[in-house]
Each structure stands twice: as structure tokens, then as C-alpha cells.
Amino acid sequence: MRLSQADHERVTGAVTQAELSTDGEIVTVVAGRSDPYHDVALHWTVLAMLLVLALLAWVPTPVEWLHARFVDAWSDTPPRWYLTFALLLMALTFLVARVLLAIDALRMLLTPGATKARRVHRAAMKLFRTATEKRTKASTGVLLYLSLAEHRAEIIADEAIHSRVAPDVWGAAMAALIADVKDGRPGDGMAAAVTQIGAILAEHFPRSEGDTNELPDRLIEL
């Protein structure tokens, strides 16, 4: 899902309007996703291989049937047959799982929520340190970060704001954003969140005479 030009204009306009009443600076970033989660795919693939081995240890009948059918129906199945069959089946399982988990939607579905939350936060912090942190004279920057694939967002405030505004104050802005994202309207959600962030900043950091626009208002889409 990508944002339309109208979405970009709506969010940029909301940032410009919000900053008219505050010394704070709002940076908005939308990412398609925060991580490819290839390591998660590998974890599931290895788990599938181990499950195959566990099933064969529990029910060795398929190996015995193959040996009786194609080699010798009158002798016991030698241990090497069990090992060979297990190796081949595990290799096949690995290939099939890797192909299936190359599908983004399936990989995202199998990624634990806690893992998504950590990766989104990590990506947001990296962007905050690059594009927002201490980029204003009074350390009054706020990053609003939305990761579409995970349906998760982060609001990270610069030092001066963080010291005076409790993290839970951003809850209403986050709720408005996520609700609109789930409805397929990320542009509306970003604009609504920006408006609420602006109101909080205006309360704690009202605009002073001579304030200048220190960070770009435009929405950044990654």
C-alpha cells in the first residue's frame, strides 16, 4: 500500500498547520515495512525440519513401508534407511518452506507481534536519530513513524519534549492513527495524529516570536 499524492498533501498541510501554534517541529515518516523478517522465515524453516524428524521418530512406518516395497519385504529395515529417508525429507521440507516463506504476506502472518513491535521501534529510533534528534535549537522535534505492513506506529520526542510530556499523553494520537490505518486510510490517520500532536506541543511549547521552520513539513515515504 502506497500513499496517494492527496495523502501526502493532507499530511504535509496538517504538519504546517500544527506548527503554526508551537515551537515544536513534527517529522512524519511512512514506511512500507520496518524489516524483511528473513530471520523469522529461517526460524520457521528450521522448526519445520525438526518437526519432520520428530514425526519420523514417533511414527517410522513410512520408512518401513518404502523399504519393504522397493528393497526387501522379508528383512528388517536397516538404520541407514531411516537416516537417509529423514535426510531427504528434511531437505525437501527446507526447500518447500523457504519457497512458501518468500511470500511476504505469509512471512508477516507468521511473525510474532512482539517481534514486529521491536523491529518497528528499532527502525523508528534509527530514523529519529538521523532526521529529528537534536536537529532543532531547543530540541523540540517529534517523529511520527508509521509502518504499514505491521500496522504499528511510534511517536518519539526530542529531549526537551520528552522531559515535560509523559509518553502516555500520545495515546489518543496513536489510537486515531491506527484506527484509520486499519480502515485503509493511512493518510487520514497520519493527518489526525499530527493534529493531536500539534495540540499537545502547543500546550507545552507555544510558538514564540521569531520561531522558524527548522525541519521539513513534507511527508517522507520510504
Side-chain angles (χ1 to χ4, degrees), residues 5 18 21 38 48 67 74 79 85 104 109 125-126 130-131 144 153 168 170 184 192-193 200-201 204 222:
Q5 183 59 36
S21 305
H38 291 311
H67 181 262
W74 300 100
F85 187 77
D104 285 345
L109 180 65
M125 286 299 299
K126 183 177 180 180
T130 301
L144 173 60
D168 58 358
W170 310 113
I200 294 169
L201 293 177
H204 294 277
L222 303 177

Side-chain angles (χ1 to χ4, degrees), residues 33-126:
R33 63 182 178 184
S34 294
D35 193 274
Y37 301 101
H38 291 311
D39 59 322
V40 175
L42 182 59
H43 293 160
W44 279 108
T45 301
V46 172
L47 181 61
M49 292 172 58
L50 293 175
L51 180 61
V52 166
L53 190 60
L55 288 174
L56 285 177
W58 183 35
V59 184
T61 306
V63 185
E64 296 167 352
W65 181 86
L66 285 172
H67 181 262
R69 178 73 173 78
F70 295 104
V71 182
D72 186 355
W74 300 100
S75 66
D76 293 335
T77 306
R80 62 183 178 83
W81 257 80
Y82 291 103
L83 295 175
T84 302
F85 187 77
L87 180 62
L88 292 174
L89 193 55
M90 288 173 70
L92 179 61
T93 300
F94 179 87
L95 293 174
V96 171
R98 286 297 287 172
V99 170
L100 290 176
L101 289 168
I103 302 172
D104 285 345
L106 180 59
R107 195 164 63 252
M108 291 297 296
L109 180 65
L110 293 176
T111 299
T115 299
K116 293 177 184 177
R118 287 194 301 270
R119 302 288 171 87
V120 170
H121 179 72
R122 184 174 67 188
M125 286 299 299
K126 183 177 180 180

Side-chain angles (χ1 to χ4, degrees), residues 73-209:
W74 300 100
S75 66
D76 293 335
T77 306
R80 62 183 178 83
W81 257 80
Y82 291 103
L83 295 175
T84 302
F85 187 77
L87 180 62
L88 292 174
L89 193 55
M90 288 173 70
L92 179 61
T93 300
F94 179 87
L95 293 174
V96 171
R98 286 297 287 172
V99 170
L100 290 176
L101 289 168
I103 302 172
D104 285 345
L106 180 59
R107 195 164 63 252
M108 291 297 296
L109 180 65
L110 293 176
T111 299
T115 299
K116 293 177 184 177
R118 287 194 301 270
R119 302 288 171 87
V120 170
H121 179 72
R122 184 174 67 188
M125 286 299 299
K126 183 177 180 180
L127 284 168
F128 174 71
R129 293 184 180 119
T130 301
T132 308
E133 187 176 27
K134 298 181 180 178
R135 295 287 296 275
T136 60
K137 292 179 181 179
S139 294
T140 54
V142 176
L143 172 69
L144 173 60
Y145 175 80
L146 169 64
S147 195
L148 292 170
E150 294 89 346
H151 284 184
R152 282 170 169 77
E154 293 275 339
I155 298 175
I156 305 176
D158 221 334
E159 182 180 351
I161 297 173
H162 182 69
S163 64
R164 295 174 59 180
V165 180
D168 58 358
V169 172
W170 310 113
M174 290 288 287
L177 171 56
I178 297 302
D180 283 341
V181 170
K182 288 181 177 179
D183 287 341
R185 297 180 290 110
D188 290 343
M190 289 290 286
V194 165
T195 299
Q196 296 203 38
I197 291 171
I200 294 169
L201 293 177
E203 178 184 351
H204 294 277
F205 300 91
R207 187 168 187 178
S208 58
E209 186 176 350

